[in-house]
Amino acid sequence: MSLTFLVCQAKKIDRISSASFLLIALLTNCVTANAQTVSVAGFSFGGESAAVEKRFPISAAAIEKLRFQDVTGSAAMSRKIMALARATKHSHLSLNTNQLVSIKNSDQALVVALVITNETVFVEKFQSHRKIFISIHGEALLFDFKAKTVIRSYPLNAMIFDAKVGEVASNDLESLAADLIYADDGKSLLHQFAKKLEVLSVPSPGTKTAQIKQVEISPEAITHYPNTLQSAGMPQSIIADEFSTILSAKTGVPLIPPNISGATAVMWVRFEDMNDYELKLPESDYAFQLNLKRFAKIQHSKNNVGSSYIYAAYIDIAFREPMGNITYLESELKNGEVAVVPAGREAGDDFPAYQDAIRGLFGKFADSVARQDLSWIAKAASAKDIQSQIKKTREILESCKK
């Protein structure tokens, strides 16, 4: 073999190695260039400024309480969020935690924020005591600020049942709401938001989306809600929030925030800079429809101490592709939960037990979608082919995670 041949071969190999190195470098640069940075915008209420104190009176007071406790004053909640974001592992995206982004003057496209979208407060009289129920719903909301469009969301929810001797003052409710929103207990909305940052990702092009699109409640079922919760749209919002939170938590599927009013698909947000912003909700590829048909209360046992009842909820759940007019799941589901009613308990206080039945149904449905165990839903569903319906629903929702 000649020396000239060896030299030529060595040069050829060197050219191939250089080309390979250049290709790898170009690919690396492309990946780096395509990696999208998400900035943290902090905290917001869902709604315009004029409506915040009316829609979220307890939550707004709790946030105001935090502002006065914080030595730096305004944006105290947003700074809490940023501090937790810096301490959070977020391997699925590039999260900018250098500083809290100013929405008004931002040149950042992708932004994530904790948005409170609903609060439910119910105080019930029981002899000399007052029972308190507070539920606060929020979203870990990812949106494109330049396009003013929501991309995806992870629903959040914190609730508490409490009791107090005597009357309940507004300060009592505000303190409980403060714990639900920003307590350092690992369960508050603040800490739920931080956990969602760990799994938050920017969807790939063509990724499908799902949304709760419709909630109906029969006239018979609505009578079991307290009068204070029967105002137009409120019970429907509670059901949509509970279903979306439970489904997303158990399956890991991000959702588009519910749009059950049939109005223009937009949501308003008001950040701690006190400015209002309108965000467009994209048309989802798949839609859930819920219909609360009725409740049932069946006595299970009775003694001198009290009575044991089974509280049941019957709900139709459908999962469809609106554009193709395709139905993947449609069935009535039933669920019962046992509750003990003490002797002498006043009438009209069955609402918490019925809510347990609804949440239990949603939880078991979500478990069926997330796991392979279909033993509960096989008995609870009216549809004979529910197992194949659940399998198809699971496959579709998995495609929404990408």
Side-chain angles (χ1 to χ4, degrees):
M1 186 177 293
S2 69
L3 179 61
T4 302
F5 175 79
L6 291 175
V7 170
C8 290
Q9 287 296 98
K11 289 182 178 179
K12 182 178 180 182
I13 292 171
D14 182 63
R15 286 196 299 271
I16 293 173
S17 299
S18 299
S20 299
F21 176 79
L22 179 60
L23 178 61
I24 292 171
L26 287 172
L27 289 173
T28 302
N29 288 337
C30 287
V31 170
T32 303
N34 288 332
Q36 296 173 293
T37 299
V38 176
S39 298
V40 180
F43 173 75
S44 169
F45 280 108
E48 298 176 80
S49 298
V52 165
E53 291 187 1
K54 182 178 180 180
R55 287 185 61 191
F56 315 102
I58 305 303
S59 299
I63 295 299
E64 188 70 5
K65 181 178 181 180
L66 176 65
R67 188 175 73 84
F68 280 108
Q69 291 174 347
D70 192 288
V71 293
T72 55
S74 62
M77 183 66 182
S78 293
R79 280 193 295 276
K80 274 183 168 287
I81 290 172
M82 179 58 80
L84 274 181
R86 292 191 179 109
T88 299
K89 296 179 181 179
H90 33 80
S91 57
H92 296 278
L93 49 74
S94 174
L95 191 65
N96 178 15
T97 58
N98 294 328
Q99 63 180 3
L100 192 68
V101 65
S102 172
I103 289 293
K104 186 175 182 180
N105 302 312
S106 175
D107 60 355
Q108 301 295 318
L110 299 181
V111 181
V112 63
L114 168 56
V115 183
I116 288 181
T117 56
N118 198 12
E119 80 169 31
T120 304
V121 180
F122 174 60
V123 179
E124 176 188 55
K125 182 180 179 181
F126 174 55
Q127 298 179 357
S128 61
H129 290 71
R130 300 295 182 272
K131 294 192 300 180
I132 304 167
F133 169 69
I134 301 177
S135 175
I136 301 177
H137 184 82
E139 308 275 351
L141 191 71
L142 177 67
F143 59 97
D144 185 327
F145 182 70
K146 288 185 177 179
K148 300 292 190 299
T149 301
V150 172
I151 298 175
R152 61 177 17 168
S153 179
Y154 294 85
L156 316 169
N157 196 72
M159 64 177 63
I160 188 172
F161 287 94
D162 200 14
K164 182 181 183 295
V165 177
E167 296 299 325
V168 176
S170 59
N171 286 339
D172 299 320
L173 299 177
E174 292 165 13
S175 295
L176 291 173
D179 289 340
L180 293 177
I181 298 170
Y182 51 78
D184 292 323
D185 58 0
K187 300 177 182 179
S188 65
L189 291 182
L190 175 65
H191 285 268
Q192 289 182 43
F193 176 79
K195 291 177 182 176
K196 293 303 180 185
L197 290 181
E198 297 177 1
V199 299
L200 179 70
S201 62
V202 178
S204 304
T207 298
K208 303 295 185 179
T209 58
Q211 180 186 42
I212 290 77
K213 196 74 172 179
Q214 181 179 338
V215 177
E216 295 180 354
I217 303 178
S218 70
E220 175 191 350
I222 203 74
T223 61
H224 294 282
Y225 280 77
N227 292 333
T228 55
L229 299 182
Q230 289 188 20
S231 58
M234 185 177 291
Q236 290 82 356
S237 294
I238 294 172
I239 289 177
D241 290 342
E242 289 178 340
F243 181 79
S244 62
T245 302
I246 293 171
L247 181 69
S248 180
K250 289 183 176 288
T251 63
V253 177
L255 300 168
I256 300 298
N259 179 25
I260 61 174
S261 66
T264 306
V266 299
M267 69 179 295
W268 285 88
V269 290
R270 190 208 73 175
F271 287 88
E272 288 191 290
D273 63 3
M274 309 307 267
N275 288 300
D276 296 337
Y277 303 95
E278 184 184 64
L279 303 177
K280 292 177 289 187
L281 294 177
E283 191 67 34
S284 61
D285 299 287
Y286 305 105
F288 280 99
Q289 296 172 316
L290 310 174
N291 181 9
L292 173 57
K293 297 170 69 177
R294 65 186 184 278
F295 292 114
K297 178 182 177 181
I298 305 168
Q299 189 175 68
H300 184 258
S301 63
K302 183 177 182 179
N303 53 38
N304 294 332
V305 178
S307 301
S308 174
Y309 289 91
I310 298 175
Y311 288 87
Y314 297 79
I315 301 178
D316 286 342
I317 297 182
F319 183 57
R320 298 188 169 96
E321 183 181 349
M323 288 293 292
N325 195 26
I326 302 172
T327 298
Y328 299 104
L329 182 145
E330 187 172 25
S331 179
E332 180 188 82
L333 299 178
K334 59 184 177 182
N335 180 61
E337 302 289 340
V338 177
V340 176
V341 180
R345 184 172 174 179
E346 297 182 20
D349 52 7
D350 292 329
F351 172 71
Y354 285 133
Q355 291 304 294
D356 286 343
I358 292 175
R359 284 191 293 271
L361 188 152
F362 290 161
K364 294 168 187 175
F365 170 79
D367 282 336
S368 300
V369 174
R371 305 170 186 171
Q372 298 297 325
D373 184 6
L374 302 178
S375 55
W376 173 81
I377 203 163
K379 299 176 182 178
S382 62
K384 301 300 182 183
D385 62 339
I386 190 63
Q387 295 191 15
S388 61
Q389 291 188 32
I390 287 291
K391 181 180 179 182
K392 187 60 181 178
T393 301
R394 182 189 300 125
E395 292 172 354
I396 292 172
L397 291 179
E398 281 294 320
S399 72
C400 296
K401 292 182 181 180
K402 297 176 182 179

